[in-house]
Amino acid sequence: MNLFSSSPSTSPNFTLFTSTQNPNNPSKFPFTVPLKTLHSPHSHPLLLPPLPSHDSSPAPLLQEYSHSSETSGEEEEDKRRVDEDIRTTKESLEELLVVRRPVMGVPSEEVGGASEIRDGGNVVEDPAAKALPIDAGLSKFAKKMPIFEPGRVASSSGEKPLVVNMDLALYKAKGLARNFQFEEAENILRKCIAYWPEDGRPYVALGKILSKQSKAKEARAVYEKGCQATQGENPYIWQCWAVLENKVGNIRRARELFDAATVADKKHIAAWHGWAVLELKVGNIKKARNLLGKGLKYSGGNEYVYQTLAMLEAKANRYEQARYLFRQATKCNSKSCASWLAWAQLEARQENNRAARRLFENAVQASPKNRFAWHVWGVFEANLGNVDQGRKLLKIGHRLNPRDPVLLQSLALLEFKYSTANLARVLFRRASELDPRHQPVWIAWGWMEWKEGNIVTARELYQKALSINTTSESAARCLQAWGVLEQRVGNLSAARRLFRSSLNVNSQSYVTWMTWASLEEDQGNSVRAEEIRDLYFQQRTEVVDDASWVTGVLDIIDPAIDSMKRLLNIDQSAYYKAKDSSRSAPGASGGGIEEDEVGTSATSDTGDDTDSGSGFDLDAFIRERLSVDTKKLDIQFGSSQTLVPKKIKSPRRIWRSGTKTAATSSKS
């Protein structure tokens, strides 16, 4: 029976035969067998070793032998060798043709190991359970799969986590920064940068946190690293870096960075708007309008661009154009609280008090927790003489924003004017504890102490404000107020130095120039006073304004009105979020302002009536939307006994360090 052939051209398809050699026998059937390599130093790696032979012709692996008594010894030896080779071949085939059964996941401690299974109660070794290449690959792949755990950034295996972990980490860092837990937020963001260096969001978030802590150098390094990691293609990093440089006074560098942001993405509206605000700050009105026009051209309508253009028109006393632009801003985004507030202040300056109140109502409905809305509205009512209403609005704002020092500062000034100085001191102290680096709080507190006759305390408070920053606009106002104090007490040389230092910070302050001129005139130096006035007019920034630019801007605005909402839904910037075009304006339910209701024909209402005529119920609104009871607003401020301290702590005991500037080096 011929079963195999030793020919090199033998195919792995073999035919098994019965004992008969009849070619017509139908019992023949094909059977495919995978060959296993038998390693022999003299054989082909894919062939079985040939049997020894006495001639050069290929000898069959299996042939019929007769078992007669005439078989010679040589033939017996050959038969023995052939039988041994056949037995070896069968054992190899049996090893290859073993049928494996899948091994279930049984704990190793129950079966004695990963390579053992139970066979009828006996533990035996399973050769199939040994590690194969596919098993090793699956094991490696499984180790790379991180477990979804919110709050964890890195996986235990040390591999790169999923992107969703970065989203969760950024959200957590934002919450920590909001609670002034800057160190924990920085650690999380630096881990995000280490895992995802190509994503720009961690760089932006970390840079903003460092900027809040006045760590300009560290924030600049983070932004520079982010621009390199993203190959300069992320406009948000460029824009935030430009804002930082503008804040510290590097105007030329800020311009370059804003330009880089617009090159990275010409539709990045925040860069166009921030650049325009920078030019407005230095007096380049024409350049600012050009930049705002480009922002509208490339990005479509945006409430911040319209709002800035409207404020330019209001400053130029073109109120109808300003109202039109404010209306476009609120149409672009009906939830833009800043646009409603700016419009309301325009109407307040025009003494359209009823229209201003309705706009303030729209502002708080658009953003109920916005601290600026409650603050500006409260100051507006207080200036009209509605002290109780103003106090109520400021307290609501503080209840919704308990860590905002500005609300407490305005409330303290209100209490000082209409209540007691001791209550104002408590509020000032609380405001300074919330944000010790907020200069206006210290300046306002110093002004109050000066009015109360506490000159030494007022000087210490002014000095504390200047120790925070000597180059800001608040520092210029502080130096001017301190100069007035020294002038009133007779320290004229100190007052002159303080006025000069204030003008070194802000040379455009008309009040400071005229106050200094008045001082010289009171001392009989009329020639010197006239020189100071001439200096002001010579160095002031000339703002050349004309109405021709309005036509060009309106050509950009009007065709884009129909597609504004569609564009807003496509493109988003760091300054705004796209809103659903189906969302109605706050005035849709009866509390809003129609287009023809606010204008030159608006009725002037200078009375104390706090009713805007819109039917807006403030108490019901904050109770339903904010879960705040107006009757319990005074609880957080305590009773009158707890509000009035027994002894006011000296500012010297509050601060141990304070840097003296050149303007404050003189001793009174």
Side-chain angles (χ1 to χ4, degrees), residues 47 114 120 148 218 229 282 332 358 374 405-406 413 420 461 568 587 625:
L47 298 177
F148 179 80
E218 293 84 346
V282 297
C332 232
R358 298 186 65 179
W374 297 105
V406 180
L413 292 174
T420 63
L461 290 166
L568 283 174
R625 290 284 302 275

Side-chain angles (χ1 to χ4, degrees), residues 66-81:
S66 62
H67 298 280
S68 60
S69 58
E70 291 88 12
T71 302
S72 63
E74 183 178 358
E75 291 176 345
E76 288 290 337
E77 180 67 19
D78 292 340
K79 179 180 178 182
R80 186 185 61 78
R81 293 178 179 177

Side-chain angles (χ1 to χ4, degrees), residues 34-280:
L35 291 178
K36 180 178 180 181
T37 302
L38 298 178
H39 300 282
S40 176
H42 304 290
S43 62
H44 194 278
L46 297 179
L47 298 177
L48 296 174
L51 295 176
S53 176
H54 300 283
D55 54 4
S56 60
S57 62
L61 280 178
L62 184 61
Q63 56 182 339
E64 296 181 358
Y65 290 90
S66 62
H67 298 280
S68 60
S69 58
E70 291 88 12
T71 302
S72 63
E74 183 178 358
E75 291 176 345
E76 288 290 337
E77 180 67 19
D78 292 340
K79 179 180 178 182
R80 186 185 61 78
R81 293 178 179 177
V82 170
D83 291 341
E84 183 178 356
D85 293 337
I86 291 174
R87 184 172 61 254
T88 303
T89 304
K90 287 183 177 180
E91 291 176 358
S92 301
L93 291 175
E94 289 175 358
E95 182 179 348
L96 285 173
L97 297 177
V98 65
V99 179
R100 293 197 219 166
R101 295 181 179 179
V103 180
M104 304 300 292
V106 182
S108 59
E109 61 269 15
E110 296 183 6
V111 297
S115 61
E116 296 178 355
I117 61 173
R118 293 189 179 274
D119 184 14
N122 298 324
V123 179
V124 296
E125 183 177 358
D126 183 14
K130 295 181 179 179
L132 294 177
I134 187 172
D135 298 329
L138 290 174
S139 177
K140 186 177 180 181
F141 177 78
K143 291 181 179 180
K144 290 183 178 181
M145 295 297 295
I147 300 176
F148 179 80
E149 295 185 19
R152 292 188 58 187
V153 180
S155 62
S156 59
S157 62
E159 301 291 342
K160 184 176 181 179
L162 296 175
V163 181
V164 67
N165 289 280
M166 182 178 64
D167 298 334
L168 294 171
L170 290 174
Y171 180 80
K172 184 176 181 180
K174 183 179 179 181
L176 292 172
R178 191 183 299 113
N179 294 328
F180 297 91
Q181 300 177 12
F182 296 123
E183 185 176 355
E184 294 84 348
E186 288 180 23
N187 294 334
I188 292 176
L189 292 173
R190 293 189 186 278
K191 289 182 180 179
C192 290
I193 292 175
Y195 285 119
W196 299 278
E198 70 284 353
D199 198 302
R201 292 177 293 172
Y203 299 100
V204 172
L206 180 57
K208 289 183 177 179
I209 289 177
L210 293 173
S211 298
K212 288 182 179 179
Q213 303 176 74
S214 300
K215 298 179 180 179
K217 185 177 180 180
E218 293 84 346
R220 187 182 294 111
V222 169
Y223 290 139
E224 184 176 0
K225 180 180 177 182
C227 290
Q228 294 176 356
T230 58
Q231 300 180 359
E233 297 180 355
N234 191 304
Y236 297 95
I237 303 178
W238 290 114
Q239 184 255 334
C240 292
W241 191 358
V243 171
L244 172 65
E245 298 296 343
N246 184 25
K247 184 178 179 180
V248 298
N250 298 332
I251 304 299
R252 179 177 297 180
R253 182 59 172 163
R255 285 194 183 101
E256 296 174 353
L257 296 170
F258 278 127
D259 189 19
T262 58
V263 170
D265 184 5
K266 66 179 181 180
K267 294 184 178 180
H268 191 63
I269 190 65
W272 294 110
H273 182 263
W275 193 356
V277 172
L278 181 149
E279 299 298 341
L280 288 175

Side-chain angles (χ1 to χ4, degrees), residues 485-524:
L485 182 151
E486 299 298 340
Q487 178 186 356
R488 298 290 176 86
V489 298
N491 297 327
L492 301 183
S493 60
R496 290 187 179 96
R497 285 193 293 269
L498 289 167
F499 289 145
R500 188 180 296 110
S501 300
S502 177
L503 293 173
N504 289 335
V505 178
N506 181 17
S507 62
Q508 303 299 309
S509 175
Y510 173 81
V511 175
T512 306
W513 284 103
M514 296 302 108
T515 305
W516 189 5
S518 177
L519 181 150
E520 299 297 342
E521 202 166 44
D522 292 341
Q523 297 301 314

